[in-house]
Amino acid sequence: MMLQNWHKRLVMINVAVFLAVLSIFCTAVYLFGCSAFDTLLKDKLVSIADSAISSIDFDDFDQTLNGKPDLIVSVLPSEASPALQPMRIQWFDARGTLDIEKGTMPLALPLETSEGFQLQTTPPALVFTKPALAKGKLLGYVRVGHPLSTVQQQKGLLLQWLISGSLVAVTVGSIGIYFLVRQSLRPVEESIKTLKRFCADAAHELRTPITAILTNSSVALRHGDGMRSGDREKFEAITSGARQIELLTEDLLMLARAEQLSEQGYYRKYSTLQSLNEEVRSAMECAGRAAEKKNLSLHCEISESLSVYIDTDDLKCILRNLMDNAIKYTPERGKITISAATSSGGIRLTIADTGIGISSADLTRIFDRFWRADQARSYHSGGNGLGLPIVKAIVEKYGGSIAVSSEIGKGTTFRMQLPGTRTATVLRDSV
Ligand code: ADP
């Protein structure tokens, strides 16, 4: 499960980086494309204005200074090509009076007498004006307007291509990233499996020698008449150490079994319905004495009859571990509440305490093996850091999930989503 989360996280990070690079690339291409389209349009206007001016027969123009040149007609005849027709080309005389105009585009801007570009807003158009000079004498002005709609169309088309290209790239890229990440995590997965197998094997192998040590030291203590007091202490230390190792090996074996069954989809194959209400009641009874010692109040908030698809021993183990922790880490006169209700097609089981809480930095590590928030505190409370990993492995073994929220000094809440149902529903269904 941890590796699956890593896989998901790595895929997401890679896809995010890929998306960032792709969007930077697409933005650059789009901006470059837009500026190229603008430059092309400007070049086109300049070249039309230049050809109009260069087509003037200046000598003839001199003689008929007050006449009108036929330059426009040669550049943009009324029967011009369809590409040129939507434009506008105008000739102004030296005083700035409009003489001739051709083309269909409406052009209402006042004449700008210096050479340069202007933007018309309605209809959107780019306008270029150039004074026509002959032997240093101003003859008039050529003004060319071109609608921006064609350039906007080209820009829209470029954007469309970039978006559809990006969608294809993101889909293909994400699939590629998914498989590459899976491939690269395979060796890690293998070594984790080997490590887990080693832990389980070592725990299994340790069982026999520990049992032998425990049996022998217990026998020695039981028949310890005449034993020197120093020797008795040593045997007691051996027994206590061996008990700790025995607990540890049992926890490790339980964890290994739960994780193995979780990978095999245990819940779907073998689990049967158990009464949650009954198990919660019995867990609260078991925890009662320890809670009383610390003046803690235990509350149960389950208003209906619920059942879960979890084997009794596993359900007991979940409740025992979480209740033990709640009692251990809640100061005197605190409150522990167990609640459950149907939720998202299953059962939501919550165990909340008003204890010391866990820092948000520690919350990410809480389900790691052998991890304890405060080594000294946990040492005194006798934990080994395997309780929560076991609970998580069991919950996941049945296809459920567990989450924790906590605030330092205020308390901790464990929420589990478990497979299960309202008992009444099942009974009605099975009739
Ligand atoms: P342990 O046997 O040490 O309790 P667990 O795996 O059950 O091991 O818990 C790991 C650590 O998480 C604990 O050492 C403790 O620091 C922290 N923890 C667990 N439950 C609680 C809780 N209800 N309130 C505060 N801290 C908790």
Side-chain angles (χ1 to χ4, degrees):
M1 190 60 81
M2 188 187 79
L3 220 61
Q4 272 174 13
N5 288 343
W6 264 104
H7 182 249
K8 227 187 265 174
R9 218 191 276 179
L10 279 176
V11 169
M12 270 155 63
I13 292 172
N14 276 290
V15 170
V17 172
F18 179 62
L19 273 176
V21 172
L22 192 69
S23 35
I24 291 172
F25 173 76
C26 287
T27 313
V29 169
Y30 181 69
L31 292 178
F32 178 76
C34 288
S35 119
F37 290 141
D38 290 343
T39 312
L40 277 176
L41 180 62
K42 283 180 178 171
D43 288 351
K44 186 177 171 182
L45 292 186
V46 171
S47 97
I48 289 174
D50 282 346
S51 3
I53 291 172
S54 64
S55 71
I56 300 172
D57 183 348
F58 288 110
D59 294 336
D60 186 34
F61 196 86
D62 266 350
Q63 288 153 20
T64 57
L65 202 56
N66 293 323
K68 295 175 185 177
D70 65 350
L71 75 163
I72 307 298
V73 181
S74 65
V75 176
L76 185 69
S78 353
E79 56 284 354
S81 73
L84 289 175
Q85 241 172 4
M87 293 173 50
R88 189 72 145 193
I89 187 161
Q90 298 173 322
W91 171 257
F92 295 84
D93 66 17
R95 289 187 301 274
T97 312
L98 179 62
D99 260 357
I100 314 170
E101 58 181 339
K102 295 281 176 182
T104 55
M105 193 197 83
L107 180 48
L109 286 176
L111 178 70
E112 192 69 51
T113 50
S114 54
E115 179 175 336
F117 292 95
Q118 285 171 279
L119 261 181
Q120 177 176 270
T121 42
T122 35
L126 187 66
V127 179
F128 177 64
T129 312
K130 186 166 183 175
L133 301 164
K135 295 170 193 155
K137 192 174 174 190
L138 179 69
L139 301 180
Y141 304 90
V142 169
R143 192 161 82 158
V144 191
H146 194 293
L148 285 177
S149 53
T150 43
V151 176
Q152 278 162 353
Q153 258 173 23
Q154 285 166 334
K155 287 180 185 175
L157 210 65
L158 176 66
L159 194 64
Q160 255 179 29
W161 273 103
L162 283 174
I163 290 173
S164 34
S166 303
L167 283 178
V168 174
V170 167
T171 315
V172 175
S174 304
I175 295 171
I177 286 171
Y178 178 86
F179 283 107
L180 278 178
V181 169
R182 207 166 75 166
Q183 204 66 18
S184 62
L185 279 180
R186 208 153 264 172
V188 183
E189 200 175 349
E190 280 306 312
S191 35
I192 289 177
K193 266 189 191 159
T194 313
L195 211 68
K196 282 182 178 172
R197 215 174 303 133
F198 168 77
C199 268
D201 291 349
H204 194 263
E205 292 303 319
L206 277 171
R207 270 171 132 188
T208 321
I210 288 166
T211 312
I213 294 169
L214 267 175
T215 319
N216 286 314
S217 58
S218 308
V219 169
L221 282 172
R222 222 177 299 134
H223 307 285
D225 305 339
M227 191 187 270
R228 286 182 302 173
S229 75
D231 290 343
R232 173 171 284 279
E233 272 171 26
K234 280 176 195 147
F235 272 110
E236 278 169 356
I238 290 170
T239 312
S240 143
R243 285 238 159 79
Q244 274 185 23
I245 302 175
E246 189 185 35
L247 278 177
L248 191 65
T249 50
E250 274 169 15
D251 279 354
L252 279 172
L253 278 173
M254 183 173 232
L255 187 59
R257 261 199 302 271
E259 282 179 342
Q260 200 186 1
L261 291 172
S262 162
E263 280 160 21
Q264 293 166 2
Y266 179 84
Y267 153 64
R268 282 169 288 280
K269 285 185 195 159
Y270 308 111
S271 49
T272 52
L273 268 182
Q274 304 296 335
S275 163
L276 180 66
N277 305 61
E278 226 167 81
E279 288 307 329
V280 167
R281 204 174 304 124
S282 115
M284 288 184 77
E285 270 168 29
C286 290
R289 172 104 48 95
E292 226 170 78
K293 269 193 204 162
K294 287 182 82 178
N295 242 329
L296 303 174
S297 59
L298 297 183
H299 297 265
C300 176
E301 291 173 1
I302 308 179
S303 56
E304 48 193 341
S305 179
L306 302 171
S307 296
V308 284
Y309 286 99
I310 297 185
D311 296 346
T312 318
D313 287 347
D314 285 341
L315 190 52
K316 279 188 194 305
C317 183
I318 294 173
L319 292 168
R320 190 181 56 239
N321 270 301
L322 294 179
M323 287 294 284
D324 279 358
N325 278 349
I327 292 171
K328 257 194 271 180
Y329 302 113
T330 302
E332 293 214 353
R333 283 183 290 283
K335 182 179 169 189
I336 297 165
T337 313
I338 302 188
S339 50
T342 50
S343 151
S344 320
I347 301 290
R348 194 178 183 80
L349 175 64
T350 306
I351 299 183
D353 63 56
T354 56
I356 54 173
I358 306 159
S359 72
S360 49
D362 287 345
L363 276 181
T364 53
R365 308 201 51 202
I366 194 126
F367 294 108
D368 291 355
R369 292 160 180 231
F370 298 112
W371 185 88
R372 282 168 280 171
D374 179 331
Q375 301 296 327
R377 181 186 71 191
S378 297
Y379 174 75
H380 289 301
S381 58
N384 60 17
L386 283 176
L388 290 180
I390 288 175
V391 170
K392 186 168 190 274
I394 292 177
V395 168
E396 286 172 356
K397 166 177 152 186
Y398 293 94
S401 62
I402 181 166
V404 57
S405 60
S406 188
E407 211 178 313
I408 290 281
K410 293 217 167 142
T412 305
T413 303
F414 286 91
R415 288 186 191 84
M416 283 158 283
Q417 184 66 30
L418 304 171
T421 180
R422 240 182 233 117
T423 309
T425 316
V426 172
L427 290 178
R428 210 184 308 125
D429 286 349
S430 57
V431 170

